[in-house]
Amino acid sequence: MQVLQVQLEVGADPAEVGRARRWARSRLAGSGIRDDEPLAETLVLIISELVTNAVVHTGCPAVLRMLIAAEGGVRVEVADASERPPKPRRAEGEDTNGRGLELVDGLADRWGWQPEGAGKSIWCEVDRAPVAPSPVPGAPGVSVPGASVPGASVSSGRVHC
């Protein structure tokens, strides 16, 4: 199995999340995952959530890695300087945060975390679905699993970089 591994260092500034999304789109396209594929949109959303959690909740730089298998599955890893394990929580009503990890849980095929160096790495894997045939006229519509998933995010807590 051939795997392409790419990595981006992300600064401690929340504005870096947008740069991480653009970088991920570019790397996915370069590996043959088209921007209009649901897989690309899913991965960019997951990356946005994980990088946001790492930067906002640690206040430290992070490292984003993508491992893209020739068969189409993708593993995303975000390493940060906090030893604190991710703690999913449930957002209520009008809360403006607290949905990240539940989104990841609903969108990824697998996810977890592990110690890495002086901090941790949160990872997830998304399998590439086979390309669906074009819809048949008059056939019922297709729904996207996980499209409406409430979520949670890593608990807040600062660490020293």
Side-chain angles (χ1 to χ4, degrees):
M1 171 169 65
Q2 187 175 4
V3 176
L4 169 66
Q5 180 174 337
V6 292
Q7 176 172 303
L8 174 70
E9 292 185 21
V10 180
D13 181 354
E16 289 279 278
V17 176
R19 185 172 72 92
R21 284 192 300 263
R22 289 186 299 278
W23 176 86
R25 282 188 190 283
S26 168
R27 295 313 176 273
L28 291 168
S31 72
I33 299 173
R34 296 183 327 268
D35 201 37
D36 63 346
E37 283 187 57
L39 176 61
E41 287 301 317
T42 297
L43 288 165
V44 170
L45 178 56
I46 287 171
I47 287 166
S48 184
E49 294 299 332
L50 293 180
V51 171
T52 297
N53 282 348
V55 171
V56 169
H57 295 299
T58 69
C60 298
V63 176
L64 165 62
R65 289 184 290 266
M66 289 194 304
L67 293 84
I68 305 166
E71 294 77 27
V74 179
R75 180 179 174 104
V76 172
E77 300 175 355
V78 177
D80 64 43
S82 172
E83 293 179 334
R84 189 177 304 216
K87 182 180 175 190
R89 59 188 179 112
R90 191 163 212 54
E92 300 292 331
E94 299 296 318
D95 290 351
T96 57
N97 49 20
R99 293 172 174 80
L101 285 178
E102 196 164 340
L103 273 170
V104 170
D105 185 53
L107 294 171
D109 292 301
R110 293 161 295 287
W111 78 276
W113 73 278
Q114 61 201 29
E116 182 172 313
K120 70 176 172 305
S121 175
I122 299 178
W123 60 269
C124 69
E125 296 173 341
V126 179
D127 300 328
R128 189 174 197 174
V131 177
S134 299
V136 176
V142 177
S143 64
V144 178
S148 175
V149 179
S153 73
V154 176
S155 62
S156 61
R158 296 284 182 192
V159 297
H160 297 0
C161 300

